[in-house]
Amino acid sequence: MSDQLAARIKEIIVETLALEDVEPASIETDAPLFGEGLGLDSIDALELALAFHKEFGVRTQENDENNREYYHSVGSLVKFITEKQAEAAASEG
Amino acid sequence: MIDHLKHWIRRFNVWITVGSYMTLAPVGYVILAFLCFCWRKDPIRRARRLQAITAKAYRFMHRWLGWTRITVFDHRCALPDLPKGPCVVIANHPTLMDVTAVTAVMGGACSIVKPALFRRALISPLLAGLGHVEGPGKDPLRIGKVVDDVGKRLEWGLPFVIFPEGTRSPRGGLGRFGRVAFEVACRANVPLVCLTITCEPVYLAKHVPLFSPPHPTPHMQIGVLAIDEPGTLGSDSRALRKKVEARYHAWLEGLAS
């Protein structure tokens, strides 16, 4: 499940940010997305947050000190999205 | 021997200058705070007036640095074809003096300020009054608010200075450009002015501290590399960044050769 989610997140990153020279599979799950790794910036983060909300129904709160941690890598995004979805399911149930 | 003496005189001048600044700065802050309070009813007019005063103060500061041979920079340098209205100004960032130099040349300009500085109790109202914008800090998603705030300043008719590297340039090089400057220029549909800054020998770079001024006297220069209309690239901030970043690299390669 988490592998599938990671693969989908990688696809969304490439599609949303129009990364022409990057194959989704070439993005390492634990590599940093910002700065040294994939080299994304904060505007990219904003676009990704909108894309994740659209795809997974997960809203990223502005001013959350943990956002940097959540958006560190594909692996941390998998954890973040899984947790948020579980929280939403629990509150609905 | 004479060079050695000049070097020590310059170091002494730096100490005198810093001492004078520490003594006079509180007076300047009080005056600005007073004006900020007096003009509080119209934030746009207040920002414009305070920016003009700040630009004059920075011009005096650079004149002083020239008199004391700490750095030489002529703020009256002709920058042709600068837009009269709001624009986004970007530049490479070789030294800490870039902000003051660009503000002196532009006659005032807003910028993004680190939250740690922006939220300091006594300084915060002044920075807000001047129209500066609080940066995103550690939360990358706060950039949405920053982009909106910068857009408002551009609507006020003020130029906005952004160093796209986000920090001072590495020695003789260029850091990776972030997209904020390009995004706001595209959204507001205002010209993007690309300035070049040189300081030879470099001073107040990350590896050159304040109290170790280099020898000979550093000369700072500002030039216009290009002015872009975002519409020509379909207001695509990614494409605009790519084009401008490549242009800056070409300029640096030209300097090196």
Side-chain angles (χ1 to χ4, degrees):
Chain A
M1 174 61 190
S2 67
D3 286 348
Q4 281 179 348
L5 183 56
R8 183 64 194 129
I9 289 171
K10 290 174 188 178
E11 283 173 5
I12 290 172
I13 290 171
V14 172
E15 285 166 16
T16 307
L17 306 179
L19 303 175
E20 293 160 4
D21 308 326
V22 180
E23 284 294 322
S26 70
I27 301 173
E28 289 178 35
T29 304
D30 294 320
L33 294 172
F34 298 89
E36 293 167 11
L38 203 53
L40 305 185
D41 62 29
S42 44
I43 300 279
D44 294 327
L46 201 62
E47 290 180 358
L48 286 178
L50 292 172
F52 293 145
H53 178 56
K54 205 170 161 186
E55 176 84 14
F56 306 113
V58 169
R59 192 181 287 276
T60 315
Q61 297 296 329
E62 200 180 277
N63 287 328
D64 186 337
E65 288 181 359
N66 296 320
N67 281 342
R68 198 180 180 89
E69 201 181 300
Y70 298 148
Y71 281 74
H72 175 72
S73 64
V74 172
S76 59
L77 279 167
V78 168
K79 196 178 164 203
F80 167 65
I81 290 168
T82 309
E83 282 174 5
K84 286 283 176 187
Q85 284 179 331
E87 276 173 27
S91 64
E92 278 173 17
Chain B
M1 179 65 190
I2 290 175
D3 276 356
H4 196 65
L5 187 66
K6 281 182 181 173
H7 182 59
W8 277 101
I9 290 172
R10 195 173 305 116
R11 285 185 85 156
F12 175 74
N13 285 344
V14 171
W15 280 99
I16 294 289
T17 300
V18 171
S20 308
Y21 172 79
M22 300 297 273
T23 312
L24 293 174
V27 179
Y29 286 131
V30 169
I31 293 170
L32 269 187
F34 176 72
L35 294 174
C36 224
F37 178 76
C38 291
W39 297 332
R40 66 189 179 282
K41 286 180 185 168
D42 185 345
I44 302 174
R45 203 166 167 209
R46 174 178 67 180
R48 283 186 180 162
R49 285 172 159 185
L50 292 178
Q51 283 289 349
I53 292 169
T54 308
K56 280 179 186 162
Y58 286 155
R59 284 171 189 161
F60 174 76
M61 185 192 90
H62 281 285
R63 260 191 232 122
W64 170 275
L65 294 175
W67 293 332
T68 51
R69 305 299 292 170
I70 296 171
T71 56
V72 174
F73 170 66
D74 185 2
H75 70 267
R76 292 159 300 185
C77 59
L79 294 183
D81 309 323
L82 280 184
K84 299 280 182 226
C87 57
V88 174
V89 180
I90 64 164
N92 59 318
H93 197 359
T95 104
L96 262 188
M97 293 178 295
D98 299 337
V99 183
T100 58
V102 171
T103 307
V105 167
M106 299 289 299
C110 300
S111 57
I112 296 172
V113 180
K114 286 179 186 170
L117 178 61
F118 197 90
R119 291 180 186 179
R120 278 191 197 166
L122 291 173
I123 299 176
S124 185
L126 299 185
L127 293 173
L130 278 155
H132 296 303
V133 166
E134 183 180 351
K138 288 183 179 174
D139 177 5
L141 297 182
R142 278 204 73 238
I143 201 68
K145 185 178 183 312
V146 175
V147 169
D148 290 346
D149 288 347
V150 176
K152 279 179 199 159
R153 301 304 179 271
L154 291 168
E155 280 173 16
W156 289 3
L158 293 165
F160 207 99
V161 179
I162 298 176
F163 296 101
E165 295 162 87
T167 184
R168 274 171 285 172
S169 308
R171 192 189 302 210
L174 210 58
R176 189 176 183 277
F177 280 13
R179 201 146 51 94
V180 177
F182 308 97
E183 184 70 21
V184 291
C186 288
R187 286 192 190 195
N189 196 26
V190 296
L192 180 80
V193 179
C194 305
L195 298 182
T196 57
I197 301 174
T198 54
C199 181
E200 284 299 326
V202 73
Y203 180 39
L204 292 175
K206 278 185 175 168
H207 60 284
V208 187
L210 175 65
F211 293 107
S212 296
H215 182 73
T217 305
H219 278 65
M220 248 186 111
Q221 284 187 317
I222 293 184
V224 179
L225 188 60
I227 298 174
D228 291 285
E229 293 293 339
T232 56
L233 287 173
S235 294
D236 179 351
S237 63
R238 220 172 260 121
L240 188 58
R241 173 180 69 177
K242 199 174 172 183
K243 180 185 169 189
V244 170
E245 202 170 2
R247 184 191 288 144
Y248 270 95
H249 279 288
W251 167 71
L252 268 181
E253 281 167 20
L255 276 187
S257 61

